Amino acid sequence: MGRDDRGPAPVRVEVLIVAARDAAVYYRRVDGDLPRDAQPDLVAAGLVSSPVSARPVAVSAGQGGVQRDGPQPDWAPPPLTILHSTSWRFDAGRVVLTYVAVLDGVPDADAVPLVSRELAHSGDPAAPSPPHVAADAVVAHALRHLAWLRDTDEVVATALASVPNVWVVLDGFEPGLAGGIPALYEAAVRG
């Protein structure tokens, strides 16, 4: 990755809003540029609570049935239960900071199902970045990390207990840190 005199790579903040229904994981991705001197956590929280990222609302369309519309004037986001940074990657000339968010645990109309739980890897121990990282791989990584936090962080566990459908689907993910370090996880769980 050659650098020149154009300055540092721009940074993008990506939030994966995860939810569950019928024991399946759904997610929706929202993202935005990190403004200069902005705190990434605050930008991530703002992306989640922004009316731009809101669920579409069904409103009456008269005799034509139901019409999908954006947020109504009295729109308020579901409560933000968890927001946690999970990873970063270099993609298309910029750094992408990824967060996982859990709101009320209910998938919205724009959420897509998690199809693959495969993690991204390069296959080369001396080259950690794979040539392509699929969205499902980023979500699977985030959910493994969330499962690890559920088992090792009392604050996260308490928050997740209020979202039982997400709690249950995390049982299907091997808890892991960045890249998954099983020995450290086992030591943390055993205390």
Side-chain angles (χ1 to χ4, degrees):
M1 289 181 246
R3 285 290 207 226
D4 56 27
D5 59 359
R6 291 182 291 178
V11 177
R12 190 112 180 122
V13 175
E14 165 185 73
V15 184
L16 305 167
I17 302 169
V18 297
R21 181 177 56 236
D22 301 326
V25 175
Y26 291 82
Y27 67 94
R28 184 167 55 92
R29 182 181 166 274
V30 293
D31 66 337
D33 290 328
L34 179 66
R36 184 177 195 85
D37 298 326
Q39 211 283 345
D41 295 355
L42 295 177
V43 171
L47 286 167
V48 172
S49 65
S50 167
V52 172
S53 74
R55 299 175 179 170
V57 177
V59 296
S60 174
Q63 294 192 352
V66 173
Q67 164 186 329
R68 304 288 293 174
D69 255 349
Q72 303 304 308
D74 59 349
W75 176 84
L80 179 58
T81 302
I82 293 174
L83 180 67
H84 190 81
S85 62
T86 61
S87 62
W88 71 270
R89 67 186 180 281
F90 190 73
D91 183 34
R94 62 185 168 201
V95 173
V96 179
L97 300 177
T98 301
Y99 288 77
V100 63
V102 177
L103 303 176
D104 58 5
V106 178
D108 60 43
D110 295 338
V112 297
L114 178 68
V115 176
S116 172
R117 295 179 180 211
E118 291 292 318
L119 298 178
H121 58 86
S122 73
D124 180 349
S129 297
H132 173 72
V133 179
D136 275 9
V138 179
V139 174
H141 173 83
L143 290 169
R144 285 180 44 152
H145 189 65
L146 197 56
W148 182 78
L149 288 169
R150 182 188 70 174
D151 292 349
T152 61
D153 185 316
E154 188 176 322
V155 173
V156 171
T158 300
L160 281 170
S162 71
V163 191
N165 52 338
V166 174
W167 178 284
V168 169
V169 297
L170 290 176
D171 288 341
F173 289 85
E174 180 181 342
L177 296 168
I181 305 172
L184 286 178
Y185 169 71
E186 289 299 322
V189 169
R190 289 187 189 134

